[in-house]
């Protein structure tokens, strides 16, 4: 049996820690290093408790261990990834970017995974982008000349860590760019609500599209196929409002419940971007196994 793809995580907040748990379940991946800045952080303690090598030296730890790493998951911040990406390229490492930096090729595994396998830096857009872009793509596959697409995601405030909050502007810009790129819509808008309600709410995403003459039957068929495809790697992805016409707009809504790997199941926003990142990394591992 061919060895697993050796991966490292840089950034040990909510996203990085949840990602670690998911990697340990993968048939194709192993984590050989978790690099952050604080050995006493919950994420570092979690990794240590799982007998994963840890370091507080952040990017320097990746540099020192580069010979033992095939792929790096960057779960830091958009600003940090601008610097980190150059180092990963110099080291010859594949990078999967979980920040909204827009440095690498935008990757939505259900839509363009095969086109991404020759790249050395993949951008996983945002949690809202992973939820909404496949729907926008499905809508565009049936309806031409889309005037406007809007996506509204609501997530539990507790599931949004410091890096997510710092990157809110980048989140909106990157999600909007992704929607336009994958749907060819003339205009797009992204909205993110951090809901402080207790008990915590599940992640929900609504996509609204302004189309002159929408094909509702064809759109429903395309959406159902896309949701089934997404559920192969995001188990908690669920269509809760089928495509409908509301106030002259085509509307569809999904909910994402997490697996509860690190935060409870309300943190579907962690699951959707991390499941997408795992799917991308496993695609690289399978490609290597076939070489």
């Amino acid at each position: 049996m061919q060895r697993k793809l050796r991966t490292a995580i840089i950034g040990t907040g909510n996203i990085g820690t949840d990602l670690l748990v998911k990697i340990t379940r993968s048939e194709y991946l192993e984590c050989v290093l978790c690099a952050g800045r604080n050995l006493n952080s919950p994420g570092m303690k979690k990794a240590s408790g799982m007998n994963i090598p840890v370091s507080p030296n952040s990017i320097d730890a990746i540099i020192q261990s580069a010979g033992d790493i095939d792929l790096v998951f960057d779960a830091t911040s958009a600003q940090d990834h601008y610097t980190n990406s150059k180092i990963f390229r110099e080291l010859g490492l594949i990078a999967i970017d979980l920040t909204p930096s827009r440095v690498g090729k935008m990757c939505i595994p259900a839509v363009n995974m095969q086109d991404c396998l020759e790249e050395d830096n993949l951008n996983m857009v945002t949690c809202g982008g992973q939820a909404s872009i496949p729907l926008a793509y499905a809508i565009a596959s049936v309806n031409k000349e889309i005037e406007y697409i809007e996506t509204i995601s609501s997530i539990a405030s507790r599931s949004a860590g410091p890096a997510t909050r710092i990157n809110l502007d980048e989140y909106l810009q990157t999600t909007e760019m992704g929607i336009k790129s994958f749907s060819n819509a003339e205009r797009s808008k992204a909205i993110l609500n951090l809901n402080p309600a207790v008990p915590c709410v599940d992640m929900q995403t609504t996509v609204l599209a302004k189309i002159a003459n929408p094909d509702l039957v064809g759109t429903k068929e395309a959406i159902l196929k896309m949701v089934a495809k997404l559920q192969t790697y995001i188990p908690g992805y669920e269509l809760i409002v089928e495509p409908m016409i509301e106030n002259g707009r085509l509307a569809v809504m999904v909910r994402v419940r997490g697996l509860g790997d690190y935060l409870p199941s309300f943190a579907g926003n962690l699951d959707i971007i991390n499941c997408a990142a795992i799917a991308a990394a496993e695609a690289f591992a399978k490609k290597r196994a076939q070489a």
Side-chain angles (χ1 to χ4, degrees):
M1 182 176 178
Q2 192 155 342
R3 69 168 175 82
K4 294 183 176 183
L5 201 69
R6 298 169 301 186
T7 69
I9 298 171
I10 180 169
T12 55
N14 289 344
I15 290 176
T17 308
D18 181 82
L19 184 65
L20 170 62
V21 180
K22 288 174 169 52
I23 291 172
T24 61
R25 288 201 300 267
S26 173
E27 298 178 32
Y28 303 94
L29 310 174
E30 64 175 325
C31 184
V32 298
L33 175 66
C34 282
R37 294 192 176 98
N38 180 4
L39 287 175
N40 291 317
S41 70
M44 292 287 238
K45 290 181 177 179
K46 176 80 169 178
S48 294
M50 297 171 67
N51 295 319
I52 304 296
V54 298
S55 171
N57 296 324
S58 192
I59 189 65
D60 288 337
I62 301 295
I63 294 170
Q64 293 164 8
S65 303
D68 298 321
I69 300 168
D70 301 309
L71 180 149
V72 179
F73 294 99
D74 192 335
T76 56
S77 69
Q79 189 61 48
D80 285 334
H81 187 71
Y82 297 136
T83 301
N84 293 345
S85 62
K86 298 173 185 176
I87 296 171
F88 298 150
R89 182 163 285 126
E90 291 171 358
L91 294 172
L93 300 176
I94 297 169
I96 293 186
D97 175 21
L98 291 105
T99 81
S101 72
R102 305 193 302 277
V103 170
K105 183 180 179 68
M106 288 188 175
C107 177
I108 307 294
V111 176
N112 71 332
M113 191 64 245
Q114 290 304 309
D115 296 337
C116 293
L117 290 176
E118 299 303 320
E119 304 290 329
D120 64 0
N121 189 313
L122 298 185
N123 177 243
M124 304 315 295
V125 195
T126 60
C127 59
Q130 291 292 337
S132 62
I133 290 173
L135 302 178
Y137 179 85
I139 291 169
S141 72
V142 176
N143 303 281
K144 307 305 177 186
E145 298 182 2
I146 300 173
E147 180 180 341
Y148 175 72
I149 292 187
E150 179 175 295
T151 179
I152 307 101
S153 288
S154 178
I155 65 173
S157 181
R158 186 181 155 198
S159 69
T164 297
R165 295 170 187 272
I166 291 170
N167 289 163
L168 286 179
D169 287 343
E170 290 87 350
Y171 169 98
L172 298 176
Q173 294 163 6
T174 301
T175 305
E176 289 171 1
M177 182 178 291
I179 290 170
K180 286 186 68 175
S181 175
F182 283 90
S183 71
N184 292 318
E186 295 179 19
R187 294 182 296 121
S188 66
K189 184 175 182 63
I191 298 170
L192 177 65
N193 296 320
L194 303 184
N195 192 324
V198 179
C200 295
V201 299
D202 293 328
M203 178 186 186
Q204 290 191 174
T205 294
T206 302
V207 174
L208 303 169
K210 190 173 182 181
I211 307 166
N213 296 293
D215 179 349
L216 192 57
V217 173
T219 299
K220 179 178 179 180
E221 182 179 351
I223 290 289
L224 290 174
K225 287 181 179 178
M226 181 58 72
V227 169
K229 195 171 184 180
L230 288 161
Q231 288 173 338
T232 62
Y233 64 92
I234 308 168
Y237 193 92
E238 178 187 6
L239 181 66
I240 57 175
V241 176
E242 293 187 353
M244 58 182 288
I245 303 300
E246 178 195 49
N247 296 326
R249 304 168 302 178
L250 190 150
V252 60
M253 182 184 293
V254 295
R255 175 171 57 213
V256 185
R257 288 184 61 79
L259 297 171
D261 288 329
Y262 180 52
L263 295 183
S265 61
F266 63 75
N269 51 309
L270 299 189
D271 256 55
I272 193 165
I273 195 166
N274 282 344
C275 286
I278 293 289
E282 289 185 340
F284 278 111
K286 292 171 186 177
K287 177 186 174 185
R288 186 191 64 180
Q290 294 169 358

